[in-house]
């Protein structure tokens, strides 16, 4: 069988075993398309069924989460933890609280996390979890009661050397605080069982900035590798949460001009640029007042709001999607390419549909896939774990340097395994292969388990 036939048969098997899980199929296929040709002349990986084993999570824990709202009504949600693979370290990955959460989404995220964590060079396996709970419009007390109920069940399956959750969409400092509080209450222990903690109780400096900064460092390295810089580049960013905010800050810092931000209702276009002052306002809007991005236009009249639209219709040199999966369709990709976009750095997880990825690769756009571009967040989570184990706190300058070094190392690994010619690097292929090798070799060493 040719590698194409093997890939097709693998894909069919995954689809058959995981019906109705399109996001999971998409992620597994995207990795498979890089790995099957790579292992063509490496029969030991094929004989050990490494790809098949990686696509079968170690376990999935599903549980009911009951809580009481402020009116005294009983509410029921579903919670999950997907422990994908712990070949190179304890399961590690965020928790997502969003009404759109399904098992398919958490399985794709846990699968991707396995390769991403490997790329960081730190000893972390892959996991992800979350709930279909919608924190929007809930009071702090309701969020607290939900988090306490969620952790009461999740607590059986996590531990500082077993599985270390963190934040993701809808889970930020507030939620991590409540989750940590409940874990501490249940176990009577104070351990680094979650990352993204507050600075008062074991958190790490720059964790909050790390994902957005890292995505821009990756972008900067790619652009420099073709002899250019971010100076003066027009940048479209989606989202207005943690990753989008700090990607905007770093992009401005490196001389770029960010002109869009969005949320699930629409996007704003500010042709004058979203500078530090405007960004501080957005940060307050999203983390304190928990308002909508449309309010930006009331505050800053230079901007226009587009209800129900995505920012990719705005002409830009660079796009940094920082909201959610599949937020760049093939049509969006065509629009970006038509408008002269030269680079895409994926701050969100799998924000480009497969057809959009194919177009970026075909057009030889500088394309940093999420598992490489957004690995800075989990990398600093890994550094938070190290600090917790050693009971020390590193200074900001040290952490900044470590984050930059890790992102550079990821860029270089992508180049090493993804270079296709003197002038072109396929970063997607590079990231998949580099991430795969370490996990696969560890699995081989552990035997058939
Ligand atoms: P936040 O909850 O802080 O922000 C999410 C942003 O994305 C909000 O603006 C939200 O808008 C928007 N959004 C969420 N869902 C949708 C949707 N279905 N359609 C359109 N917009 C949507 O999350 P983060 O910034 O932490 O996460 C953003 C992305 O980055 C996710 O893909 C996440 O997996 C990824 N990521 C996060 C890391 C981290 O360290 N936090 C690390 C690596 C990746 P609204 O408020 O309207 O919902
Ligand atoms: O997708 C991700 O890498 C995250 N949400 C961060 C995970 C973590 O453990 O910090």
């Amino acid at each position: 069988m040719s590698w194409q036939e093997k890939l097709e048969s693998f894909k069919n098997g995954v689809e058959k075993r995981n019906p109705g899980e399109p996001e999971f199929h998409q992620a597994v296929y995207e990795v498979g398309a890089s790995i099957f040709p790579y292992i063509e002349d490496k029969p030991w990986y094929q004989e050990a069924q490494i790809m098949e084993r990686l696509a079968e999570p170690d376990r999935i824990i599903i549980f009911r989460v009951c809580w009481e709202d402020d009116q005294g009504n009983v509410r029921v949600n579903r919670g999950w933890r997907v422990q994908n693979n712990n070949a190179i370290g304890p399961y590690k990955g965020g928790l997502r609280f969003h009404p759109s959460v399904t098992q398919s989404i958490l399985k794709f995220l846990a699968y991707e996390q396995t390769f991403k964590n490997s790329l960081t060079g730190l000893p972390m396996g892959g996991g992800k979890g979350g709930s279909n709970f919608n924190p929007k419009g809930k009071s702090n007390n309701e969020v607290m009661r939900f988090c306490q109920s969620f952790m009461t069940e999740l607590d059986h399956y996590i531990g500082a050397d077993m599985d270390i959750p963190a934040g993701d969409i809808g889970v930020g400092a507030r939620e991590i605080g409540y989750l940590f509080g409940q874990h501490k209450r249940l176990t009577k222990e104070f351990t680094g069982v979650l990352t993204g903690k507050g600075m008062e109780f074991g958190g790490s400096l720059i964790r909050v900035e790390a994902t957005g900064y890292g995505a821009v460092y990756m972008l900067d390295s790619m652009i420099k590798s073709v002899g250019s810089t971010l100076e003066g580049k027009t940048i479209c960013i989606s989202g207005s949460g943690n990753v989008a905010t700090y990607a905007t800050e770093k992009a401005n810092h490196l001389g770029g001009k960010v002109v869009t931000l969005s949320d699930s209702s629409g996007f704003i276009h500010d042709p004058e640029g979203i500078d530090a002052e405007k960004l501080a306002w957005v940060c307050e809007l999203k983390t304190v007042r928990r308002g909508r991005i449309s309010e930006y236009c009331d505050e800053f009249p230079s901007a226009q709001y587009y209800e129900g639209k995505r920012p990719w219709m705005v002409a830009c040199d660079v796009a940094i999607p920082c909201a959610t999966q599949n937020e760049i369709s093939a049509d969006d990709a065509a629009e970006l390419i038509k408008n002269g976009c030269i680079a895409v750095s994926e701050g969100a997880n799998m924000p480009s549909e497969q057809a959009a990825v194919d177009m970026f690769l075909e057009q030889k756009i500088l394309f940093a896939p999420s598992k490489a571009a957004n690995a800075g967040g989990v990398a600093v989570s890994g550094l938070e774990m190290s600090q917790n184990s050693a009971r020390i706190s590193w200074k900001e300058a040290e952490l900044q340097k470590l984050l930059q070094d890790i992102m550079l190392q990821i860029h270089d690994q992508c180049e090493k395994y993804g270079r296709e010619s003197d002038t072109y690097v396929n970063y997607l292929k590079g990231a998949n292969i580099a991430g795969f090798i370490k996990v696969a070799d560890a699995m081989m060493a552990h035997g058939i388990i």
Side-chain angles (χ1 to χ4, degrees):
M1 259 207 276
S2 68
W3 70 259
Q4 288 91 342
E5 286 164 335
K6 286 180 194 162
L7 173 62
E8 203 49 36
S9 141
F10 167 72
K11 182 173 164 248
N12 291 339
V14 169
E15 285 175 7
K16 209 165 152 193
R17 285 191 299 280
N18 303 276
E21 299 191 337
E23 294 87 359
F24 182 60
H25 303 162
Q26 185 183 341
V28 174
Y29 179 73
E30 179 247 274
V31 172
S34 301
I35 301 303
F36 275 77
Y38 176 72
I39 63 175
E40 180 64 351
D41 59 354
K42 300 175 185 65
W44 56 94
Y45 291 136
Q46 296 181 45
E47 283 153 18
Q49 300 274 305
I50 296 292
M51 284 301 284
E52 288 75 5
R53 283 156 68 185
L54 275 163
E56 204 59 56
D58 287 359
R59 66 193 66 77
I60 302 176
I61 298 131
I62 309 177
F63 49 94
R64 184 182 63 241
V65 187
C66 272
W67 55 284
E68 219 176 76
D69 68 20
D70 286 345
Q71 285 70 46
N73 302 310
V74 176
R75 309 284 288 261
V76 186
N77 287 100
R78 186 172 296 174
W80 286 266
R81 186 72 181 163
V82 181
Q83 298 180 330
N84 194 74
N85 185 289
N86 67 352
I88 64 168
Y91 306 108
K92 176 85 195 92
L95 296 171
R96 178 177 291 190
F97 292 170
H98 195 273
S100 65
V101 163
T102 60
Q103 183 161 303
S104 169
I105 289 175
L106 296 176
K107 278 171 74 175
F108 112 66
L109 288 163
Y111 181 80
E112 284 283 293
Q113 197 82 43
T114 304
F115 299 92
K116 181 196 308 190
N117 293 1
S118 166
L119 280 172
T120 66
L122 301 173
M124 300 181 289
K128 200 87 185 189
S131 173
N132 57 359
F133 172 72
N134 185 1
K136 250 183 244 138
K138 304 288 188 302
S139 69
N140 284 341
N141 275 336
E142 288 175 324
V143 171
M144 180 183 74
R145 285 195 293 275
F146 175 82
C147 288
Q148 289 177 342
S149 182
F150 183 87
M151 180 53 88
T152 301
E153 192 61 34
L154 181 69
D155 193 65
H156 299 299
Y157 311 102
I158 62 172
D161 292 315
M162 189 196 300
D163 184 352
I164 306 93
D168 193 78
I169 293 177
V171 178
R174 174 181 63 171
E175 290 74 18
I176 294 290
Y178 293 146
L179 292 164
F180 185 79
Q182 183 70 354
H183 166 79
K184 184 168 65 65
R185 180 189 193 189
L186 291 166
T187 58
K188 305 188 284 321
E189 281 182 356
F190 194 111
T191 61
V193 73
L194 292 156
T195 59
K197 300 186 290 298
M199 286 310 299
E200 308 79 15
F201 53 97
S204 173
L205 286 168
I206 83 157
R207 174 62 189 88
V208 70
E209 296 94 338
T211 312
Y213 278 18
V216 177
Y217 290 145
M218 183 72 188
L219 175 69
D220 189 46
S221 296
M222 288 197 306
I223 291 206
K224 281 187 176 142
S225 76
V226 296
S228 186
T229 70
L230 275 177
E231 189 67 45
K233 297 272 188 299
T234 299
I235 303 176
C236 281
I237 293 186
S238 62
S240 47
N242 171 263
V243 182
T245 308
Y246 291 100
T248 304
E249 183 177 276
K250 186 53 73 181
N252 283 339
H253 193 214
L254 297 183
K257 181 165 143 188
V258 177
V259 295
T260 65
L261 285 174
S262 72
D263 60 22
S264 48
S265 311
F267 81 90
I268 58 106
H269 178 208
D270 185 346
E272 290 180 8
I274 301 160
D275 60 17
E277 191 195 325
K278 293 170 178 174
L279 189 61
W281 184 90
V282 171
C283 217
E284 204 261 345
L285 171 79
K286 285 292 173 181
T287 57
V288 182
R289 288 194 287 126
R290 299 182 190 274
R292 307 308 296 157
I293 199 67
S294 55
E295 296 171 41
Y296 183 99
C297 300
D298 305 331
E299 190 70 16
F300 306 108
S302 53
Q304 205 173 335
Y305 177 63
Y306 296 83
E307 174 80 23
K309 297 266 190 309
R310 296 158 169 173
W312 318 125
M313 58 199 248
V314 173
C316 64
D317 302 306
V318 170
I320 317 182
C322 297
T324 193
Q325 66 278 347
N326 292 329
E327 56 166 316
I328 301 184
S329 65
D331 287 348
D332 294 328
E335 187 75 8
L336 284 166
I337 293 165
K338 188 186 89 197
N339 288 333
C341 175
I342 58 159
V344 176
S345 184
E346 295 189 327
N349 281 306
M350 203 171 75
S352 311
E353 286 181 359
Q354 186 64 49
V357 173
D358 292 343
M359 288 168 80
F360 293 143
L361 297 182
E362 212 175 274
Q363 296 296 316
K364 300 203 169 6
I365 301 284
L366 295 167
F367 172 70
S370 50
K371 60 176 76 68
N374 72 31
V378 74
V380 174
S381 278
L383 301 176
E384 182 173 332
M385 288 161 65
S386 304
Q387 294 170 83
N388 292 167
S389 304
R391 293 178 161 71
I392 52 170
S393 297
W394 290 329
K395 296 200 168 53
E396 179 170 344
E398 278 172 272
L399 287 156
Q400 293 280 14
K401 170 92 174 54
L402 285 166
L403 172 62
Q404 285 186 44
D405 287 352
I406 289 172
M407 292 313 298
L408 202 58
Q409 178 261 128
I410 292 175
H411 175 267
D412 294 352
Q413 284 187 81
C414 292
E415 238 179 19
K416 176 174 170 190
Y417 293 102
R419 181 165 289 289
E420 290 186 345
S421 73
D422 285 352
T423 52
Y424 180 63
V425 174
N426 179 337
Y427 287 87
L428 176 65
K429 179 168 105 181
N432 283 335
I433 295 175
F436 170 82
I437 292 172
K438 185 174 163 193
V439 178
D441 287 348
M443 288 171 72
M444 298 288 298
H446 297 162
I448 300 168
I449 54 172

